[in-house]
Amino acid sequence: MTVINALLGEESMASDPEQPTLSSLVKSSGEIGSIQLLQQLQEPLLNVNGAHNSDTYSVIAAILPFLFPALGGLLYGYDIGATSCATISVQSATSSGVSWYNLSSVDIGLITSGSLYGALIGSVLAFNVSDFLGRRRELISAALFYLFGAIITTVASNLAIMVIGRFVYGIGIGLAMHAAPMYIAETAPYQIRGQLISLKEFFIVLGMVGGYGIGSLLVDVVAGWRYIYAASSPLAIIMAIGMWWLPASPRWILLCAIQGKGNMQELKETAIHCFCRLRGPASRDKAPVQVDEILAELSFVGEEKEATFGEMFQGKCRKALVIGGGLVLFQQITGQPSVLYYASSIFQTAGFSAASDATRVSILLGLLKLIMTGAAVLLVDRLGRRPLLLGGVSGMVISLFLLGSYYLFLGNVWVVAVVALLLYVGCYQLSFGPIGWLMISEVFPLRLRGRGLSIAVLVNFGANALVTFAFSPLEALLGAGILFYVFGVIAVVSLGFIFFVVPETKGLTLEEIEANCL
């Protein structure tokens, strides 16, 4: 029975009418003893110096619990790259393969932004269902939305059906970008948690490059846009099967246990089994101890009660919302979509032969993004989150003021624009790109993590939509130079926010972050 519970994860939760008490937790803890556990319930199991004895893991065993959730990010990135090529294909009189190819700018905007608005709806859905479904089933749902959205878009017989397919695919994006960071954060060993969650951003960029690459190969093929969108279907199937095979998040199971949503002992045994599968054979002896530590810490920080909507804006969660929401807001309003909008024109001004082909320029920038994101992955658990954020955003400030100066005063010095563009892209991928998603998955208390992260993801996609919508009117009103100066000032404000508000979470377990940083 325990094995079945572990394999099914969230689906195996039985109801228990009685809320567990501290004494019931003590009775259910056989590995470390009642006296020791009572002491742990009175004092947090935290070590400020980061010395932990119970989190033993196998690197090989940790790969799959990262890989399948990260496919959700890969499919998100692929959609960005693929759509830039698919919109060219679907408008071609010779290669679109449809009679409705003569699309207006509004029609193209609906195709391009359809997945973004779907992602907004997905984020709203996640707020209401994430704690009920659990991280694993939410990711399975995301994979199914990805699959059905890709299929609907591929077989679309008119614009309306195509936009519906894009919207359905976008719901998958919203669910995946909400659940994937949570699942990875809650299942990854704390020693490499930052690297694994940052590596998800690497997968997003890898998906973008893949989308540009596949799109450039198929853009001139008859009905090529259909093949471009269909190419994401196999990955969605792999993601769904992989998440079905993986165990549930042990921390989510223990949260259910401590909130009385099942039999304490059965759920505890399920969590131990899940930890063994996630950490590998090396953790077999340590898993029961780790489960007891997490249960004791959840009791200490008061996770026994179910979260209410009002609690989202009080105490620890309010601080977590400020940290996480602020990071993803600044991630968007420091001009990232706008700078990339100017990439092709900047390269054309520089005289590069490839600049006439927007797809090739995008591939070049995508490769730079990959390299810098890879550097962030290697450094985030060595240097920490704050140094990368402060250093990267400082580079963004310099690049934004250089871009503003180029469009106002230095129009003939194209080297300034190219250097500023590359500096901005590199520094963004070293800082806001991966670490924004990393921090929002770390800072929320466990029982509020599902709803809190959904608000942060909603802020991210909402700010993205707002910046994308407002860019053209602001450019017409202020001019490109002044607009980049405005983004530069916002980036300076974000530096102050990082310095005074954002904590360092390197080397801390999720329970320690909740107790020490909030």
Side-chain angles (χ1 to χ4, degrees):
M1 180 65 179
T2 302
V3 174
I4 295 175
N5 287 343
L7 289 175
L8 294 181
E10 290 91 344
E11 292 85 348
S12 64
M13 301 301 156
S15 61
D16 186 351
E18 295 187 4
Q19 185 82 356
T21 61
L22 296 187
S23 60
S24 67
L25 282 176
V26 172
K27 291 177 182 178
S28 67
S29 304
E31 292 294 329
I32 57 177
S34 299
I35 296 177
Q36 184 179 354
L37 185 57
L38 276 173
Q39 293 172 345
Q40 291 168 334
L41 292 176
Q42 294 170 359
E43 298 179 3
L45 297 176
L46 308 179
N47 192 313
V48 177
N49 296 322
H52 306 271
N53 297 317
S54 60
D55 203 354
T56 306
Y57 67 96
S58 163
V59 174
I60 296 177
I63 292 176
L64 290 180
F66 155 79
L67 180 61
F68 293 120
L71 288 179
L74 185 76
L75 287 165
Y76 171 40
Y78 179 83
D79 182 71
I80 296 173
T83 299
S84 66
C85 301
T87 51
I88 297 174
S89 173
V90 76
Q91 294 180 89
S92 172
T94 57
S95 60
S96 66
V98 296
S99 60
W100 41 276
Y101 63 86
N102 189 20
L103 301 174
S104 67
S105 59
V106 174
D107 295 334
I108 295 300
L110 287 173
I111 295 173
T112 303
S113 63
S115 61
L116 177 60
Y117 293 112
L120 287 171
I121 297 301
S123 302
V124 174
L125 288 176
F127 182 88
N128 294 310
V129 303
S130 62
D131 287 332
F132 169 74
L133 289 178
R135 291 60 163 132
R136 171 174 165 268
R137 283 193 294 184
E138 187 178 350
L139 282 166
I140 294 174
S141 301
L144 294 177
F145 275 109
Y146 274 139
L147 178 61
F148 293 142
I151 292 174
I152 294 170
T153 307
T154 299
V155 302
S157 57
N158 54 56
L159 176 65
I161 295 178
M162 186 178 185
V163 172
I164 290 172
R166 301 284 299 129
F167 185 83
V168 171
Y169 192 96
I171 294 176
I173 293 175
L175 293 176
M177 298 309 291
H178 171 262
M182 278 199 300
Y183 186 87
I184 297 171
E186 292 181 2
T187 59
Y190 74 90
Q191 300 96 323
I192 57 173
R193 185 181 64 240
Q195 290 182 332
L196 290 180
I197 300 177
S198 300
L199 198 57
K200 183 188 69 68
E201 173 71 15
F202 183 89
F203 268 59
I204 294 176
V205 179
L206 184 64
M208 291 172 58
V209 175
Y212 290 132
I214 293 175
S216 64
L217 293 175
L218 298 174
V219 69
D220 294 324
V221 176
V222 176
W225 61 273
R226 297 187 187 273
Y227 301 115
I228 292 171
Y229 283 120
S232 63
S233 299
L235 285 177
I237 294 173
I238 293 172
M239 177 183 170
I241 294 174
M243 290 310 307
W244 177 83
W245 175 78
L246 285 174
S249 161
R251 284 183 166 87
W252 184 83
I253 293 173
L254 294 176
L255 180 64
C256 291
I258 204 170
Q259 290 183 346
K261 297 178 180 178
N263 180 273
M264 169 64 72
Q265 190 61 35
E266 287 185 4
L267 295 182
K268 182 182 170 186
E269 290 174 1
T270 300
I272 291 172
H273 186 87
C274 292
F275 264 121
C276 290
R277 288 188 62 193
L278 293 165
R279 299 288 196 270
S283 68
R284 187 171 292 114
D285 295 333
K286 296 287 187 178
V289 179
Q290 188 170 9
V291 165
D292 283 326
E293 288 180 353
I294 293 174
L295 278 173
E297 194 56 51
L298 291 178
S299 294
F300 177 82
V301 296
E303 299 280 2
E304 296 93 338
K305 298 178 182 178
E306 285 195 65
T308 63
F309 182 79
E311 286 184 88
M312 298 301 304
F313 308 98
Q314 299 174 5
K316 291 183 177 181
C317 194
R318 180 174 61 185
K319 185 173 181 180
L321 275 175
V322 171
I323 296 169
L327 279 175
V328 294
L329 178 64
F330 282 120
Q331 184 188 64
Q332 297 299 324
I333 65 175
T334 47
Q336 191 251 354
S338 307
V339 172
L340 294 181
Y341 177 87
Y342 273 90
S344 296
S345 63
I346 289 174
F347 275 94
Q348 287 173 346
T349 304
F352 289 95
S353 59
S356 60
D357 188 340
T359 300
R360 293 178 185 174
V361 172
S362 298
I363 292 175
L364 175 63
L365 290 177
L367 291 175
L368 175 61
K369 281 172 167 279
L370 276 178
I371 294 171
M372 297 308 295
T373 307
V377 170
L378 294 175
L379 295 174
V380 67
D381 280 325
R382 297 181 183 181
L383 295 181
R385 286 62 160 154
R386 280 171 55 86
L388 289 180
L389 281 171
L390 291 171
V393 177
S394 296
M396 290 170 58
V397 170
I398 295 172
S399 63
L400 286 167
F401 281 112
L402 284 175
L403 282 171
S405 299
Y406 168 75
Y407 281 101
L408 287 176
F409 314 116
L410 305 172
N412 296 324
V413 189
W414 58 264
V415 175
V416 172
V418 172
V419 170
L421 174 65
L422 297 179
L423 177 65
Y424 182 93
V425 171
C427 289
Y428 177 86
Q429 291 305 135
L430 198 63
S431 56
F432 272 143
I435 297 178
W437 291 106
L438 167 59
M439 292 292 291
I440 64 173
S441 68
E442 292 181 324
V443 296
F444 288 101
L446 178 58
R447 68 192 178 98
L448 299 164
R449 187 170 295 144
R451 292 184 172 184
L453 214 147
S454 68
I455 293 176
V457 173
L458 186 63
V459 169
N460 179 275
F461 286 119
N464 189 334
L466 179 62
V467 171
T468 303
F469 174 79
F471 173 72
S472 293
L474 288 175
E475 181 196 18
L477 178 65
L478 302 175
I482 298 298
L483 185 56
F484 282 127
Y485 277 153
V486 171
F487 286 138
V489 172
I490 296 175
V492 172
V493 174
S494 73
L495 270 178
F497 173 81
I498 294 166
F499 185 82
F500 291 107
V501 177
V502 177
E504 180 57 73
T505 58
K506 180 189 74 169
L508 300 176
T509 67
L510 295 178
E511 290 72 34
E512 289 173 340
I513 292 171
E514 179 178 350
N516 285 347
C517 301
L518 298 179

